[in-house]
Amino acid sequence: MIDSNSITPLYLQVKEHILADIHGGKYQPSGRLPSEKELAAMYNVSMITIRRAISELVEEYVLQKKQGKGTFVTKKSFSRPYSQSALSFTEICRTNGMQASAKLLRREVMPAPSPDILKQLALPEGSRVLLVERLRYADEIPIVIERNCFPMDYAFLMDLDLERQSMYQLIREHKEVDLRPVIGQRFVTIAKADARIAKYLKIRESTPVLQYVGLVWEMLEDRPAHTSYQIGYGEQMDFALCF
């Protein structure tokens, strides 16, 4: 804990402890810290020491003070590129300096997909498609639910580890394809989280979230690769479009 005999000033020791607790997950992004009085008692230091430590962390954009509410951990900013190249969630996380992971929610063959899905994938009536639905995390924070539908020549995805590996990387290694979104067929709208989405993203029901719908193309074969549906990017994260 705090060493009053150390040559390191007390406020710097408190600051380091708070940072360690944030990095260790004790205080989550957007989470509220104990009051200054509680922190002073916790570290056995004066209120002046606590205020100086917090003031520096606010200046460094680690913490944010909200009038009448308290001190909160600053939300991480998650930049979701909206560009010509189709980036996997893993690649997007890497550009944000974050670690991507996934939880597989559904992986199944749909014997009777909707006519709209068949039309998007340019498949004849009666075709089957592969549905893959995953919950995606950035630094262990649930960010988005993604649901993709593939033609059956992507059936090899049934046997691959889609929780610990990038799906796009696996696809590119298996098929050697150049995947890109179709210009003019990507839509971002605002929706409200239903009970299922709220449960997985750990947010309140009816919280505003972004809904992303698009189509990804195999450029070398000049045909649809998969439909793309994502919903999330809610109050846990900021969402930025980068052109």
Side-chain angles (χ1 to χ4, degrees):
M1 290 297 290
I2 303 302
D3 182 3
S4 59
N5 296 317
S6 172
I7 61 173
T8 302
L10 294 179
Y11 80 92
L12 284 180
Q13 294 184 53
V14 171
K15 178 181 174 182
E16 290 171 359
H17 276 283
I18 293 175
L19 281 171
D21 285 340
I22 292 172
H23 295 151
K26 181 177 180 179
Y27 304 127
Q28 296 294 321
S30 299
R32 183 179 180 276
L33 265 65
S35 68
E36 293 180 354
K37 184 177 181 179
E38 291 171 328
L39 288 172
M42 184 186 306
Y43 294 116
N44 194 28
V45 296
S46 69
M47 295 280 284
I48 294 175
T49 297
I50 293 296
R51 286 168 182 160
R52 183 168 181 183
I54 289 178
S55 177
E56 288 205 358
L57 291 171
V58 169
E59 291 176 1
E60 295 170 6
Y61 301 102
V62 175
L63 299 178
Q64 178 185 18
K65 295 183 73 69
K66 296 183 179 180
Q67 186 67 33
K69 295 183 178 181
T71 304
F72 295 79
V73 179
T74 303
K75 292 192 298 182
K76 294 182 179 180
S77 177
F78 188 87
S79 174
R80 202 297 186 189
Y82 193 77
S83 58
Q84 177 70 13
S85 299
L87 297 177
S88 69
F89 185 86
T90 300
E91 292 166 328
I92 295 170
C93 283
R94 190 176 298 124
T95 65
N96 282 274
M98 306 169 91
Q99 180 66 43
S101 57
K103 177 181 180 181
L104 186 62
L105 302 180
R106 294 170 65 193
R107 177 167 52 183
E108 60 190 51
V109 174
M110 299 175 65
S114 70
D116 184 57
I117 290 177
L118 293 178
K119 181 179 179 181
Q120 289 183 72
L121 295 177
L123 296 174
E125 183 179 352
S127 297
R128 300 182 302 162
V129 301
L130 173 64
L131 168 68
V132 176
E133 184 181 49
R134 298 186 298 171
L135 173 60
R136 304 311 310 273
Y137 298 82
D139 286 351
E140 300 184 355
I141 300 171
I143 301 300
V144 65
I145 297 172
E146 61 177 26
R147 188 182 307 134
N148 302 320
C149 290
F150 298 84
M152 288 307 296
D153 56 341
Y154 283 81
F156 61 88
L157 291 172
M158 288 290 291
D159 302 318
L160 300 180
D161 183 355
L162 301 182
E163 293 194 335
R164 291 178 292 182
Q165 300 184 62
S166 165
M167 184 167 64
Y168 269 23
Q169 184 62 37
L170 292 171
I171 290 174
R172 287 165 176 152
E173 290 175 354
H174 191 277
K175 293 177 67 69
E176 297 184 353
V177 294
D178 180 14
L179 300 177
R180 299 191 185 184
V182 176
I183 299 301
Q185 294 199 32
R186 291 178 289 166
F187 305 92
V188 178
T189 57
I190 296 176
K192 289 187 177 181
D194 60 20
R196 180 175 184 265
I197 293 168
K199 175 185 175 182
Y200 281 127
L201 297 182
K202 297 182 179 179
I203 57 179
R204 295 183 302 274
E205 194 170 341
S206 296
T207 294
V209 290
L210 288 179
Q211 188 171 248
Y212 175 97
V213 180
L215 183 65
V216 175
W217 205 260
E218 282 189 20
M219 298 304 293
L220 299 180
E221 298 293 333
D222 192 26
R223 64 179 183 178
H226 68 82
T227 63
S228 177
Y229 174 82
Q230 300 178 9
I231 188 164
Y233 305 106
E235 64 182 10
Q236 291 281 16
M237 288 288 197
D238 294 328
F239 183 91
L241 297 179
C242 303
F243 295 88

